[in-house]
Amino acid sequence: MFEHIDAYPGDPILTLNENFAKDPRDAKVNLSIGIYYDDQGRLPVMQAVREAEAQLLAQPGPKPYLPMAGFAQYRDAVQALLFGDDSHARSEGRIATVQTLGGSGALKVGADFIKRYFPGTKVWVSDPTWENHRFIFERAGFEVGTYPYYDEASGGLQFPAMLAAIDALPPRSVVLLHACCHNPTGVDLNDAQWVQLIEVMKRRELLPFIDIAYQGFGASIETDAFALRELARQNVPALVANSFSKNFSLYGERCGALSVICESPAIAARVLGQLTSAVRANYSNPPTHGAKIVARVLGTPALRQAWQEELASMCGRIKRMRGEIHERLRGKVPDRLLARYIEQRGMFTYTGLSAGQVDTLRETHGVYLIRSGRMCVAALNENNVAAVADAIAQVIAQRGT
Ligand code: LMR
């Protein structure tokens, strides 16, 4: 019966992370998966999360199914965090939000929704993008194309080429965009570029699908949401997938949401119904625990304040480590590969190392990066940064650039 089943080659990120765990060497450093680790290399439990969880556990109760669309207070808190307390689209009831299984779940529910109501459309992703974007949309039945994005020569954005390519897409094409802290490159649009891009997408009647998995890791919670807030402000229909894996350090709780900005409250009600139906067809209803934590933190002023401060300090630590690796690599790697460590934003730096160099780093030095050359700088710390910089310098000296 199953003779014809192909072997799974593994996932470029998650399988590598599993392989890291199996690596018997003591001196190994995991800069592969997008996870924030603290200065001691530990996965933090944020103070506000700890406190909210303690409050919830102090009131144990039954565990019924959540509604298909998710926990109501959570959905409301998600909308306020993403679109702002003063969002008109939100107060007018033009945003439909469902709780999902992390950001990937939001992308899948969104993909199923679009496939059903825009069946012939094609999805366009940045070149490069997070490996799972293409996978999720292809598995949902879409053809996936790319638009220019990253410029390896400068380590920055190819904005004119990106804009021109998007300006040539057929109406109703889906354009997948990263709101902030682009994964894998760490290269973002500035606000003026977002305004220009939104103008093009409006004129061409394209459907933006914004992925925001790193809110708070770029500049701030508010400014990282500029693109989606601007879309909502200008009444541009769009989908927004968000995740609390990173900014709440709640990876395994699978806390995410899908929000759809609609033209009217009546349309939003129908869209919400169809998102709910996509949830039912995929997994019926989402889990409770993480959503209750997030809702409690965001809905309790003191906890929210503590969460924001801790998130800001995590972000500050990443920036310090960027500065430190930059300092240590100065003079050891070509200048064109250096500036990116401090210029790119969020959890990742696109190092410009080749797949072969990444393989040598891993095999010879126990330093794990994704084979695209993506480094998770959020896993650097005072204890490993010197060894990582030395390993990179040696690999470059040995294999060239
Ligand atoms: C990553 O990009 O490393 C993370 O978002 C984890 C994942 O699921 O790929």
Side-chain angles (χ1 to χ4, degrees):
M1 187 65 81
F2 298 131
E3 193 52 43
H4 60 293
I5 305 300
D6 301 323
Y8 177 44
D11 181 79
I13 299 174
L14 299 186
T15 306
L16 190 63
N17 189 49
E18 289 165 18
N19 290 343
F20 175 83
K22 290 182 210 147
D23 188 330
R25 289 174 288 184
D26 287 333
K28 55 177 181 173
V29 183
N30 189 3
L31 308 176
S32 63
I33 193 163
I35 293 183
Y36 176 91
Y37 291 99
D38 68 15
D39 241 342
Q40 306 306 313
R42 292 170 310 212
L43 185 65
V45 181
M46 295 178 83
Q47 198 48 46
V49 166
R50 206 185 285 276
E51 175 60 33
E53 198 162 42
Q55 291 178 12
L56 293 167
L57 293 175
Q59 304 159 333
K63 301 199 179 295
Y65 290 127
L66 280 179
M68 291 178 283
F71 183 43
Q73 282 121 291
Y74 171 87
R75 293 167 49 220
D76 196 44
V78 165
Q79 283 196 359
L81 187 72
L82 291 179
F83 297 98
D85 286 325
D86 54 355
S87 156
H88 288 176
R90 181 171 165 252
S91 58
E92 288 161 12
R94 288 193 290 105
I95 306 178
T97 298
V98 291
Q99 183 186 334
T100 58
L101 297 181
S104 301
L107 291 162
K108 175 64 166 71
V109 169
D112 286 355
F113 167 73
I114 298 169
K115 188 71 201 165
R116 184 151 183 199
Y117 286 97
F118 302 78
T121 204
K122 192 169 161 181
V123 176
W124 297 85
V125 299
S126 59
D127 178 21
T129 193
W130 179 46
E131 278 81 350
N132 210 24
H133 278 150
R134 175 178 285 280
F135 197 40
I136 287 174
F137 283 96
E138 283 180 350
R139 279 294 175 94
F142 289 96
E143 210 183 311
V144 178
T146 57
Y147 56 80
Y149 191 83
Y150 183 68
D151 179 25
E152 178 48 46
S154 67
L157 184 66
Q158 295 192 47
F159 186 64
M162 171 189 185
L163 203 62
I166 291 177
D167 204 351
L169 297 180
R172 299 191 152 211
S173 297
V174 176
V175 186
L176 190 85
L177 295 151
H178 304 228
C180 62
C181 309
H182 183 269
N183 179 1
T185 66
V187 172
D188 289 335
L189 276 68
N190 62 34
D191 292 358
Q193 290 168 331
W194 275 117
V195 170
Q196 260 182 287
L197 177 61
I198 289 171
E199 198 45 51
V200 166
M201 293 194 292
K202 253 168 53 175
R203 180 163 45 74
R204 301 291 303 182
E205 292 177 34
L206 305 176
L207 181 54
F209 197 146
I210 310 283
D211 189 354
I212 176 161
Y214 299 91
Q215 189 177 5
F217 281 98
S220 74
I221 289 170
E222 308 302 324
T223 44
D224 289 352
F226 178 81
L228 41 139
R229 291 187 185 187
E230 191 58 19
L231 286 163
R233 195 184 67 75
Q234 294 194 33
N235 299 337
V236 183
L239 287 82
V240 179
N242 81 287
S243 162
F244 292 114
S245 294
K246 332 277 175 177
N247 57 12
F248 269 76
S249 195
L250 279 176
Y251 302 88
E253 296 293 354
R254 310 310 295 133
C255 275
L258 176 68
S259 299
V260 184
I261 307 166
C262 302
E263 293 100 322
S264 73
I267 295 175
R270 297 205 301 275
V271 167
L272 181 62
Q274 290 306 329
L275 299 181
T276 304
S277 125
V279 167
R280 176 62 163 152
N282 274 298
Y283 48 84
S284 287
N285 35 49
T288 312
H289 189 67
K292 289 218 162 163
I293 294 173
V294 171
R296 172 84 49 145
V297 170
L298 294 179
T300 311
L303 294 182
R304 164 136 189 179
Q305 179 69 21
W307 168 69
Q308 263 182 236
E309 284 170 11
E310 191 168 348
L311 180 56
S313 84
M314 287 157 72
C315 200
R317 200 194 74 78
I318 296 177
K319 287 194 183 122
R320 276 200 309 285
M321 294 323 300
R322 284 186 175 281
E324 196 140 331
I325 191 158
H326 178 263
E327 233 3 79
R328 287 176 186 275
L329 287 175
R330 193 198 289 275
K332 295 187 185 151
V333 305
D335 282 353
R336 67 176 185 83
L337 296 180
L338 192 62
R340 57 189 64 197
Y341 286 93
I342 43 177
E343 282 168 6
Q344 297 176 351
R345 303 195 319 159
M347 280 197 176
F348 304 115
T349 281
Y350 219 42
T351 60
L353 296 174
S354 67
Q357 288 172 321
V358 169
D359 289 345
T360 308
L361 261 184
R362 188 183 62 253
E363 286 158 13
T364 311
H365 302 275
V367 176
Y368 281 60
L369 267 61
I370 303 300
R371 292 191 86 232
S372 64
R374 186 192 81 170
M375 172 194 287
C376 178
V377 281
L380 287 173
N381 60 46
E382 297 294 344
N383 299 320
N384 64 25
V385 65
V388 170
D390 283 351
I392 291 175
Q394 278 183 45
V395 168
I396 287 181
Q398 185 190 341
R399 297 187 59 125
T401 52

